[in-house]
Amino acid sequence: MEKSVGLVLSGGAVRGAAHIGVLKALEEADIRPEFLSGSSAGSIVSVFYGAGYSPDEIEKIVLETNILSLVKPAFNLTALFSLEKMEDFFSKYIGKKDLSELDRKVYVCATDLNAGRPVYFSEGDIFTVVSASCALPFLFKPVEIDGHLFIDGGVMDNLPVEPLLEEVDFIIGSEVNPMGEEKNLNNPFNILIRSFYLAIRSNVEARRKYCDIFLQPPELLQVGLFSTWKIKDAIEIGYRYAKRFITPSILE
């Protein structure tokens, strides 16, 4: 009997583009996950793949999009920026409005700031839940859903395997935040982001044991979290690393 495959995609800002490379390697091995679960940047890639785009098509869209144009100043006390302009981006490329309408089953993880827990959305307005999943604290405004405020899914769960544990036979985890020494800590912003990713590291380590294959390319240390000019590099790093581990035989 053919095994069902689930793919879990972490957050990691620009490094999240490495997930596109992982998808390329999977499809070259004739492995096409039918279930996806993502946090933050991983939720964006999950939704596009879930909507039927090929990895090459996702890459083309990402490389042709001015990522910085998707954010705008928030002009309030809760955050520096707003992700409201992402709505046009999703409207342009995703023809469906609700997560439940996608071609593949997709879960999007966001953190319920009021309740202090991760929530795994499998339905709801795509733009709203993905924006919530990407709402990095301090940088982006929290997103209100059903009276609760939601922030970046990675705060509580940056490797959201839980929704797939009862859904699939084989889980592949793609995590894009390898730990290395950070030398560029000469301003408050860099210190804040470094502290955030150190804090979420423990929730990844607790969940990687549920993955049959866990991918975390060390070369991604060369890609800054907000180095948008290195998106292509991140994709190539993810692809080359995944090719070392992904073959058709892994499901045997």
Side-chain angles (χ1 to χ4, degrees), residues 5-135:
V5 178
L7 180 62
V8 184
L9 305 179
S10 78
V14 167
R15 292 174 183 168
H19 299 316
I20 302 170
V22 171
L23 282 168
K24 284 187 177 184
L26 285 169
E27 292 213 340
E28 286 182 6
D30 200 28
I31 298 171
R32 292 169 172 78
E34 286 300 315
F35 296 82
L36 297 101
S37 181
S39 278
S40 200
S43 73
I44 297 175
V45 177
S46 294
V47 163
F48 271 82
Y49 192 66
Y53 285 98
S54 71
D56 286 337
E57 289 170 334
I58 301 172
E59 178 178 14
K60 185 173 186 293
I61 290 168
V62 170
L63 292 177
E64 290 179 349
T65 299
N66 179 355
I67 302 299
L68 295 179
S69 71
L70 302 180
V71 303
K72 68 175 186 178
F75 298 117
N76 64 48
L77 298 178
T78 63
L80 296 178
F81 304 103
S82 166
L83 291 169
E84 292 171 14
K85 293 179 73 173
M86 279 181 61
E87 185 166 16
D88 293 336
F89 176 68
F90 281 101
S91 296
K92 179 178 179 180
Y93 292 107
I94 307 294
K96 292 155 185 174
K97 291 286 290 180
D98 197 280
L99 270 180
S100 61
E101 298 172 352
L102 296 176
D103 300 338
R104 293 177 169 91
K105 184 75 171 183
V106 173
Y107 293 92
V108 170
C109 177
T111 298
D112 185 331
L113 195 56
N114 297 93
R117 63 185 180 92
V119 176
Y120 308 98
F121 293 93
S122 59
E123 58 184 22
D125 179 77
I126 291 172
F127 161 69
T128 301
V129 296
V130 171
S131 295
S133 184
C134 294

